[in-house]
């Protein structure tokens, strides 16, 4: 092992244990008020010793685009979609009560006042704790997203058959 | 058996096997972007040998109204509801970003470009593969829908007690 | 036991039985058309002998604020949030098609015509049948809600770890 290698954080090792409980979350929404429960539940699950896999699909994939990207997509329609819902974890909108940004701003202020973690902080905690985020291949195709457009912490893209398999063998599955 | 009988496609035979995994989906939403995961997950489940039952309720029931129907319902309020959310599988709206139809049109174009099946094609695949669609009796009453207003592939109407029973005996249940 | 004590309705006794099936609902939405399935499914579950726990979080908590309260919250932002989504079970809005109140009014009229219970009646039935409603502590903090702001029938506030635990040991879990 070289000095350079020791500087890198080790990837979280998920050991499948027969007594491990398992949670699967289908993260479909890209709204701030839905991303919050996805990240709070997944990081809390991992912290409680529950193996948690998050299948990230449709609007839910856009918050997992790298923030420096801005506009993503290969053709004008895909670029337009990402203009309408800005990708990245730091600029999410509420599902309602946006009022030109006042709703999300109030939520952010209340959140800080009561020491609730931000989506970015929760995402870092979740990946550090070993939550596995699986991007939906079909969504990547339709939105023109390449693997390098997504944050590095995501796992390999997969399809609906994988989603079905992990859900039916989990102890609980949620569609958020 | 007569010649006429042999012309009809046989109903899908669902054999309950002790090792069969089971998935239940509560299809509550009538939005295009929610119908898509309902149909992709249910048809993929059935294709993977997972028994899938879809309990279709509230707004989710309107896409399962026969397309030739147009306006359904028995009194003016029910007729008005179906004017506001057009029934049938071919004219669904997105939950957001509709922009006078541009959002659904872009989705449809991207879908074709990437060989993703349409809701109608997915619905045909799902029923052919043996997915069981169960209409919610209470929703039919409130929206003034009769059994013959719904597509022929749907099963017998049922109530919340049935939903509870099939969910608690399934390996995974989703509310979409 | 005194005469006064006998006048009070006994708290529902939930006996944990190894063969009892269990349902958990994460009630996230405060919309009329989502509160309805939460209350119909939970009360039907309890009536069918299924132990049902409802973890009430985010927008979902506002319908469980006492009706006489009006505006709740400790600072102006919290007060403003509850001005935008009026708390209490009797004045819920639909997730769409509100049209200045016409949508909810039509739903209410159709509901009565077809003998479907109101949210208030369903809530009373659910608590009488032993459904356990658990308020989310983090939501209470962010919205500035105190225990006495919520209806008396609610249980003790709890956090995400409790939600994970009850979901992974239940037979079915839904996020509504």
């Amino acid at each position: 092992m070289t000095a350079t290698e020791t500087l890198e954080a080790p990837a979280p090792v998920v050991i499948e244990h027969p007594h491990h409980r398992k949670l699967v979350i289908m993260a479909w929404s890209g709204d701030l008020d839905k991303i919050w429960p996805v990240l709070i539940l997944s990081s809390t699950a991992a912290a409680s010793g529950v193996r948690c896999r998050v299948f990230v699909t449709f609007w839910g994939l856009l918050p997992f685009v790298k923030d420096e990207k801005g506009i993503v997509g290969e053709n004008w329609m895909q670029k337009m979609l990402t203009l309408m819902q800005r990708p990245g974890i730091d600029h999410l909108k509420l599902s309602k009560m946006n009022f030109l940004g006042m709703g999300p701003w109030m939520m952010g202020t209340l959140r800080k006042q009561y020491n609730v973690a931000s989506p970015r902080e929760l995402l870092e905690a979740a990946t550090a704790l070993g939550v596995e985020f699986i991007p939906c291949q079909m969504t990547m195709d339709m939105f023109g997203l390449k693997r390098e457009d997504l944050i590095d912490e995501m796992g390999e893209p997969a399809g609906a058959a994988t989603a079905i398999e992990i859900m039916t063998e989990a102890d609980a599955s949620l569609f958020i």
Side-chain angles (χ1 to χ4, degrees), chain A:
Chain A
M1 189 183 283
T2 70
T4 319
E5 281 171 308
T6 58
L7 285 173
E8 291 176 25
V13 181
V14 180
I15 299 154
E16 185 103 23
H17 187 281
H19 298 305
H20 257 183
R21 284 171 298 150
K22 291 175 208 155
L23 174 70
V24 171
I25 298 177
M26 304 290 289
W28 172 90
S29 169
D31 294 326
L32 170 60
D33 38 359
K34 288 269 178 95
I35 289 293
W36 237 330
V38 166
L39 294 175
I40 290 174
L41 288 173
S42 61
S43 55
T44 305
S48 317
V50 172
R51 179 176 184 182
C52 183
R53 279 173 283 189
V54 182
F55 189 87
V56 189
T57 187
F58 224 80
W59 308 117
L61 198 56
L62 293 176
F64 292 88
V65 169
K66 281 176 191 153
D67 255 1
E68 65 271 22
K69 286 286 170 185
I71 298 169
V72 286
E74 288 169 346
N75 61 42
W76 71 267
M77 275 188 290
Q78 292 164 338
K79 287 190 173 73
M80 200 149 178
L81 277 176
T82 60
L83 263 178
M84 293 190 285
Q85 182 184 316
R86 182 170 166 179
I89 194 80
D90 288 328
H91 304 279
L92 302 170
K93 285 184 186 166
L94 291 168
S95 64
K96 56 179 181 179
M97 301 202 214
N98 278 295
F99 299 114
L100 301 172
M102 200 173 71
W105 172 78
M106 289 202 301
M107 281 294 164
T109 309
L110 290 173
R111 175 185 69 64
K112 278 175 214 150
Q113 194 176 336
Y114 292 96
N115 297 313
V116 176
S118 73
R120 170 168 296 280
E121 291 161 342
L122 285 166
L123 178 56
E124 284 166 10
T127 53
L129 287 161
V131 175
E132 299 154 78
F133 293 93
I134 304 166
C136 169
Q137 182 68 61
M138 192 189 287
T139 305
M140 291 176 65
D141 291 346
M142 273 188 65
F143 286 180
L145 293 170
K146 292 184 284 291
R147 182 61 192 81
E148 60 264 30
D149 293 330
L150 304 175
I151 59 169
D152 298 331
E153 292 83 356
M154 299 208 91
E156 286 303 304
T162 300
I164 298 290
E165 195 187 327
I166 62 177
M167 285 194 291
T168 52
E169 67 164 45
D171 297 284
S173 299
L174 300 173
F175 188 97
I176 299 185

